Amino acid sequence: MSLFNILDISGSAMTAQSEKINIIAKNLANSESIIYKNGKYYPYIAKRVVLTSCRSNKTGIGGVKVAAIINDKNPIQIIYDPNNPLSNKKGYVLKSNVNPISETIEHISASRAYQANIEVLKTAKYMILKTLSIGE
């Protein structure tokens, strides 16, 4: 395994973590959104990023990639708010299943993983530069 593989692996991880951060930002931005579809109003459904490892054929070692972006399976909130114009006949309103606390925790985790991969890249760059300076 060459040092350049490290760059590919860390780069793939940074790409995957940035996609995860993008989805978290989308979830938080749309947590109060209502979607109008087929004549009805629906609350925004949180999205989740599923990551998978992608292995190189040569070494069997690889990075990570986004396998899918799926809907969160947590239930939609049902809140009693008879004054809301979107409430049903019984006064209940459907709200998004976005949980700001869990989104914040996921964001911190993805940010830390991104930063860790930056450190790996810095270390690999240092090792490559030191290798190139051998014999000077």
Side-chain angles (χ1 to χ4, degrees):
M1 186 169 148
S2 81
L3 287 174
F4 295 109
N5 288 345
I6 296 170
L7 302 178
D8 291 337
I9 292 168
S10 291
S12 71
M14 290 171 60
T15 301
Q17 294 301 329
S18 69
E19 181 67 24
K20 201 171 180 181
I21 292 170
N22 283 334
I23 293 298
I24 291 166
K26 181 180 178 183
N27 286 342
L28 289 172
N30 289 295
S31 64
E32 299 292 326
S33 296
I34 300 293
I35 299 169
Y36 184 74
K37 189 164 92 179
N38 300 329
K40 292 184 177 180
Y41 291 99
Y42 297 96
Y44 174 79
I45 305 294
K47 308 289 185 233
R48 294 284 168 241
V49 175
V50 178
L51 302 178
T52 185
S53 64
C54 52
R55 296 176 184 231
S56 168
N57 291 337
K58 295 177 186 174
T59 61
I61 301 170
V64 64
K65 67 178 181 179
V66 175
I69 297 172
I70 60 172
N71 287 336
D72 190 345
K73 294 181 180 175
N74 284 328
I76 294 172
Q77 301 173 33
I78 301 172
I79 298 173
Y80 182 71
D81 185 6
N83 296 326
N84 190 319
L86 299 176
S87 63
N88 63 15
K89 293 176 184 174
K90 295 181 180 177
Y92 290 99
V93 178
L94 299 176
K95 294 280 188 171
S96 174
N97 62 349
V98 174
N99 182 342
I101 295 170
S102 64
E103 296 294 333
T104 302
I105 292 169
E106 287 286 326
H107 178 258
I108 292 169
S109 173
S111 296
R112 295 288 184 231
Y114 191 91
Q115 290 172 349
N117 282 288
I118 288 174
E119 292 303 319
V120 170
L121 282 178
K122 285 180 181 176
T123 303
K125 177 185 166 188
Y126 176 78
M127 292 169 64
I128 291 169
L129 289 175
K130 283 297 180 186
T131 303
L132 291 174
S133 68
I134 292 176
E136 289 183 355

